[in-house]
Amino acid sequence: MATAEQAPTGPEETPVEPAALQRHFDETIARDQRIEPRDWMPEGYRRTLVRQIAQHAHSEVIGMQPEGDWITRAPSLRRKAILFAKVQDEAGHGLYLYSAAETLGVDRADLTERLVDGRQKYSSIFNYPTPTYADVGTIGWFVDGAAICNQVPLCRSSYGPYARAMVRICKEESFHQRQGYELLLTMMRGTGDQRRMVQESVDRWWWPSLMMFGPPDDDSPNSERSMAWKIKRHSNDELRQRFVDMTVPQAERLGVTLPDPELRWNEERGRYDFGTPDFSELQRVIGGEGPCNEERVARRRKAHQDGAWVREAAAAHAAKQTSDRAARQEAAA
Amino acid sequence: MSGAGQANGVPDVPVDARGWPMYEIFVRAKRGLNHVHVGSLHAADDRMALTHARDLYTRRNEGVSVWAVRSESIVASTPDEKDPFFEPSGDKVYRHPTFYDIPDDVPHI
Amino acid sequence: MNDERISLALGEEGPDDARWAFGTGFEDPLHGVATAVPAGVDSARLAACCAALADDALVTAQRLAEWCTDAPELEEELALANIGLDLLGQARLLYSRAGQVDGTGRDEDAFAYFRGAADFRNVRLAELPRGDFAFDMVRLLVLSAWRLALFERLACAADPVLAAVAAKGVKELAYHRQFAAEWVVRLGDGTEESRERTARALVEVLPWTAELAHDGASAPFGADGGEVWEALSDVLRRTADAAGLSLPAPAKAPAGTGRSGEHTEHLAPLVGELQSVAREHPEARW
């Protein structure tokens, strides 16, 4: 598939010494400038980006499911409109990200195939269920809050299209996080049942949210290279710490307890100490044993398959229009 | 794909099984500004590209005008052409306003 | 950009920020509109009209929301959600107006969440279960063409709030109609399978258009039933022509109309789902 912003198609276009290309690339990175789609880039850089951006895009699309189910049941029309708009944004984020991936010479249809075949992953957080409406708030507050911690630095990622997609996404994520926190605030001012619902939801989501930052640094094999390439800007543990530091005061203000007995302010570090998530659970969920893995992928696969006849029909109609136009032009000539 | 196209006497154009073609989207954020590239999307036809662009890139009221261009129609310079395309003005510093030293007390310039 | 501040305000991108002018230009569509019911306007009828039009919009939005995560392509997720959100917006304004003028002071949620299905006055076409994409595009074409014809006339209604809501809605509905018509043409013309599905959708949808011909709720406010019907028929004829489909002679729908509270068996489950959380926690704040 042709894209305007695409990686160079072959070495015949760039008869420059590979070493010179590599040097030019390294210098661009070192100067903190962006790599753009038609620039030469090492194959490993390209592959790492495709994998990361695709996973990110898949996460947005699969992430529509746990909340999307609540749109028809949202308890007020205002909440319904907010949630509908939020889930819609997630579809938009998926689109921005697939577009960024496509500038690297892959196409979306292919990436979708890899997702529904289970060959590519998405964030394991979306394999947890959403049994109550408070989960809509908690996802906004924790999951979108964690996403913001991860993504704000990515606005400076070395790959231009990815960085630009992240700017757009981050702006919208801040709406997402706020709507979640505001929902929880409102519920905390409601009935005792509602307050219990919020606490119960916070208890369920806290640890999985901390795991969104990935395994600890000493067990994260790809991190170092991604940081050298400035695809990634901060380590997993650093981002996790930032998330905790940001969230604890918000939890206090909300009046909920974060379920970690080791959580306390460390005067010396000027940061919060906190317990270690159960990373074996993360491995299990990534490995496909999360509560909802199968359901999420099956649903995406079914929607993709059910829509095939619609996509084909639109393409067939467009093809007929094109050949009709050509025939008319020929007749007129 | 069905053979419907042939039945109408139209040659059967193979539908791209890889999905709809890609379009690049340009939005004029407000009057007085250029259209700026904001991203891309997929659509089966031009009409659909505009509709999708409206839904995807202007749903928060950002924009007064949208262009959609088939990505394959864009002609682009390649990186190794950079020199002839972009270097010549490099030594023409007089093209840039900062070349001209203006006394501080000259207003509005 | 300074990412050391993981702030929620990501407003400082620099001078070229104009291209990302997010979230500007939103207006309250009723800003400056007088809310007193003008002399000569029957408040009970006005409330009934607003509530019925709101019910159409809410029930349609509910069916559109069921497409969420199931749309045939990611771009269509965005489009269907936009249409659903427009309709939801119309419903909220209209319910508020209904509660304002019927003397009860009920808010939008009282109408949406604390009436029984039997109190809904939406047309029955809106409540039919979600079908395939062809069915829902044909249904959306009918409902949006009809509603657009109504709103174009209601924009001149004697009640200033109803008129303002209708005037705002005209722009939205013109887009919905366009979107649906384009899809009906693509599907009607596309492949053998899509043509069959679209032809079947017309057979399924058209019988339910009979009750659109006589909308007693909006007629007193300037939406002449004959004119509206003519406008709707014209859109259907032209779209079917462009799609290369013929409009089948519609079968007869079961007796009754949604406007008089006679619904299909499909409405009650829809309303039940809509209201499930709100009713489980009647004292709650959201």
Short mmCIF file of all heavy atoms in Angstrom, two decimals, chain A residues 53-77:
data_model
loop_
_atom_site.label_atom_id
_atom_site.label_comp_id
_atom_site.label_asym_id
_atom_site.label_seq_id
_atom_site.Cartn_x
_atom_site.Cartn_y
_atom_site.Cartn_z
N ILE A 53 4.09 0.60 18.36
CA ILE A 53 2.95 1.41 17.93
C ILE A 53 1.73 0.52 17.68
O ILE A 53 0.61 0.86 18.04
CB ILE A 53 3.30 2.23 16.68
CG1 ILE A 53 4.48 3.17 16.97
CG2 ILE A 53 2.10 3.05 16.22
CD1 ILE A 53 5.00 3.93 15.75
N ALA A 54 1.97 -0.66 17.10
CA ALA A 54 0.84 -1.56 16.84
C ALA A 54 0.22 -2.02 18.15
O ALA A 54 -1.01 -2.01 18.30
CB ALA A 54 1.30 -2.77 16.02
N GLN A 55 1.04 -2.38 19.12
CA GLN A 55 0.50 -2.80 20.42
C GLN A 55 -0.30 -1.68 21.05
O GLN A 55 -1.34 -1.90 21.65
CB GLN A 55 1.64 -3.16 21.37
CG GLN A 55 2.15 -4.55 21.17
CD GLN A 55 3.13 -4.96 22.26
OE1 GLN A 55 3.22 -4.33 23.30
NE2 GLN A 55 3.86 -6.03 22.02
N HIS A 56 0.21 -0.49 20.89
CA HIS A 56 -0.46 0.66 21.45
C HIS A 56 -1.81 0.87 20.75
O HIS A 56 -2.83 1.10 21.40
CB HIS A 56 0.48 1.86 21.25
CG HIS A 56 0.12 3.05 22.05
ND1 HIS A 56 1.01 4.05 22.31
CD2 HIS A 56 -1.04 3.42 22.63
CE1 HIS A 56 0.41 4.97 23.04
NE2 HIS A 56 -0.82 4.61 23.23
N ALA A 57 -1.81 0.77 19.43
CA ALA A 57 -3.06 0.92 18.67
C ALA A 57 -4.06 -0.17 19.06
O ALA A 57 -5.24 0.11 19.32
CB ALA A 57 -2.77 0.86 17.17
N HIS A 58 -3.58 -1.41 19.12
CA HIS A 58 -4.47 -2.51 19.51
C HIS A 58 -5.06 -2.26 20.90
O HIS A 58 -6.22 -2.56 21.16
CB HIS A 58 -3.70 -3.83 19.55
CG HIS A 58 -3.13 -4.27 18.23
ND1 HIS A 58 -3.72 -3.96 17.02
CD2 HIS A 58 -2.03 -5.01 17.93
CE1 HIS A 58 -2.99 -4.50 16.04
NE2 HIS A 58 -1.96 -5.13 16.57
N SER A 59 -4.24 -1.71 21.81
CA SER A 59 -4.72 -1.46 23.17
C SER A 59 -5.88 -0.47 23.16
O SER A 59 -6.84 -0.62 23.90
CB SER A 59 -3.59 -0.90 24.04
OG SER A 59 -2.52 -1.80 24.07
N GLU A 60 -5.76 0.56 22.32
CA GLU A 60 -6.84 1.53 22.24
C GLU A 60 -8.12 0.86 21.75
O GLU A 60 -9.21 1.10 22.27
CB GLU A 60 -6.48 2.67 21.29
CG GLU A 60 -5.28 3.52 21.74
CD GLU A 60 -5.63 4.49 22.86
OE1 GLU A 60 -6.81 4.58 23.25
OE2 GLU A 60 -4.70 5.16 23.36
N VAL A 61 -7.99 0.02 20.75
CA VAL A 61 -9.17 -0.58 20.13
C VAL A 61 -9.79 -1.63 21.06
O VAL A 61 -11.00 -1.65 21.27
CB VAL A 61 -8.81 -1.18 18.76
CG1 VAL A 61 -9.96 -1.97 18.19
CG2 VAL A 61 -8.42 -0.05 17.80
N ILE A 62 -8.96 -2.50 21.63
CA ILE A 62 -9.49 -3.49 22.57
C ILE A 62 -10.01 -2.76 23.82
O ILE A 62 -11.02 -3.15 24.41
CB ILE A 62 -8.41 -4.51 22.96
CG1 ILE A 62 -7.99 -5.34 21.75
CG2 ILE A 62 -8.89 -5.40 24.10
CD1 ILE A 62 -9.00 -6.35 21.26
N GLY A 63 -9.34 -1.67 24.19
CA GLY A 63 -9.74 -0.90 25.36
C GLY A 63 -11.13 -0.29 25.25
O GLY A 63 -11.69 0.16 26.25
N MET A 64 -11.69 -0.26 24.05
CA MET A 64 -13.06 0.23 23.91
C MET A 64 -14.05 -0.74 24.56
O MET A 64 -15.13 -0.34 24.99
CB MET A 64 -13.43 0.37 22.43
CG MET A 64 -12.63 1.41 21.68
SD MET A 64 -12.87 1.25 19.89
CE MET A 64 -14.60 1.75 19.74
N GLN A 65 -13.69 -2.02 24.60
CA GLN A 65 -14.67 -3.02 25.02
C GLN A 65 -15.10 -2.94 26.48
O GLN A 65 -16.30 -2.91 26.76
CB GLN A 65 -14.17 -4.43 24.70
CG GLN A 65 -14.12 -4.72 23.20
CD GLN A 65 -13.67 -6.15 22.93
OE1 GLN A 65 -13.77 -7.03 23.77
NE2 GLN A 65 -13.16 -6.38 21.73
N PRO A 66 -14.13 -2.92 27.42
CA PRO A 66 -14.56 -2.95 28.83
C PRO A 66 -15.47 -1.79 29.21
O PRO A 66 -16.37 -1.94 30.03
CB PRO A 66 -13.25 -2.91 29.62
CG PRO A 66 -12.14 -2.84 28.66
CD PRO A 66 -12.67 -3.00 27.28
N GLU A 67 -15.27 -0.63 28.60
CA GLU A 67 -16.13 0.50 28.93
C GLU A 67 -17.32 0.61 28.00
O GLU A 67 -18.40 1.05 28.40
CB GLU A 67 -15.32 1.79 28.84
CG GLU A 67 -14.30 1.92 29.93
CD GLU A 67 -13.48 3.17 29.70
OE1 GLU A 67 -12.60 3.15 28.82
OE2 GLU A 67 -13.75 4.16 30.39
N GLY A 68 -17.09 0.23 26.74
CA GLY A 68 -18.15 0.38 25.74
C GLY A 68 -19.44 -0.33 26.15
O GLY A 68 -20.55 0.12 25.85
N ASP A 69 -19.27 -1.43 26.87
CA ASP A 69 -20.44 -2.18 27.32
C ASP A 69 -21.34 -1.37 28.23
O ASP A 69 -22.51 -1.71 28.40
CB ASP A 69 -19.98 -3.42 28.08
CG ASP A 69 -19.57 -4.52 27.14
OD1 ASP A 69 -19.89 -4.41 25.94
OD2 ASP A 69 -18.93 -5.49 27.60
N TRP A 70 -20.81 -0.34 28.86
CA TRP A 70 -21.61 0.44 29.80
C TRP A 70 -22.35 1.59 29.14
O TRP A 70 -23.15 2.27 29.80
CB TRP A 70 -20.73 0.96 30.94
CG TRP A 70 -20.34 -0.12 31.90
CD1 TRP A 70 -19.15 -0.78 31.96
CD2 TRP A 70 -21.16 -0.68 32.94
NE1 TRP A 70 -19.17 -1.72 32.96
CE2 TRP A 70 -20.38 -1.68 33.58
CE3 TRP A 70 -22.47 -0.45 33.38
CZ2 TRP A 70 -20.88 -2.43 34.65
CZ3 TRP A 70 -22.95 -1.20 34.45
CH2 TRP A 70 -22.16 -2.18 35.07
N ILE A 71 -22.09 1.86 27.87
CA ILE A 71 -22.73 3.04 27.25
C ILE A 71 -24.25 2.91 27.31
O ILE A 71 -24.95 3.85 27.69
CB ILE A 71 -22.27 3.23 25.79
CG1 ILE A 71 -20.76 3.50 25.74
CG2 ILE A 71 -23.02 4.39 25.14
CD1 ILE A 71 -20.20 3.54 24.33
N THR A 72 -24.76 1.74 26.97
CA THR A 72 -26.23 1.60 26.94
C THR A 72 -26.83 1.63 28.36
O THR A 72 -28.03 1.82 28.51
CB THR A 72 -26.66 0.28 26.26
OG1 THR A 72 -26.04 -0.81 26.94
CG2 THR A 72 -26.26 0.28 24.78
N ARG A 73 -25.99 1.42 29.37
CA ARG A 73 -26.51 1.36 30.75
C ARG A 73 -26.07 2.54 31.62
O ARG A 73 -26.32 2.54 32.82
CB ARG A 73 -26.05 0.05 31.40
CG ARG A 73 -26.69 -1.18 30.80
CD ARG A 73 -26.09 -2.44 31.36
NE ARG A 73 -24.74 -2.66 30.86
CZ ARG A 73 -23.88 -3.54 31.38
NH1 ARG A 73 -24.22 -4.24 32.43
NH2 ARG A 73 -22.68 -3.69 30.85
N ALA A 74 -25.39 3.50 31.04
CA ALA A 74 -24.91 4.63 31.84
C ALA A 74 -26.08 5.23 32.63
O ALA A 74 -27.17 5.38 32.09
CB ALA A 74 -24.28 5.67 30.93
N PRO A 75 -25.86 5.56 33.91
CA PRO A 75 -26.98 5.89 34.79
C PRO A 75 -27.55 7.30 34.65
O PRO A 75 -28.50 7.64 35.34
CB PRO A 75 -26.39 5.69 36.19
CG PRO A 75 -24.92 5.89 36.02
CD PRO A 75 -24.58 5.46 34.63
N SER A 76 -26.99 8.15 33.82
CA SER A 76 -27.62 9.44 33.53
C SER A 76 -27.29 9.78 32.08
O SER A 76 -26.34 9.24 31.52
CB SER A 76 -27.11 10.55 34.47
OG SER A 76 -25.81 10.95 34.08
N LEU A 77 -28.07 10.67 31.50
CA LEU A 77 -27.82 11.01 30.09
C LEU A 77 -26.49 11.74 29.94
O LEU A 77 -25.80 11.58 28.95
CB LEU A 77 -28.98 11.83 29.52
CG LEU A 77 -30.32 11.09 29.42
CD1 LEU A 77 -31.38 11.98 28.77
CD2 LEU A 77 -30.20 9.78 28.64
#
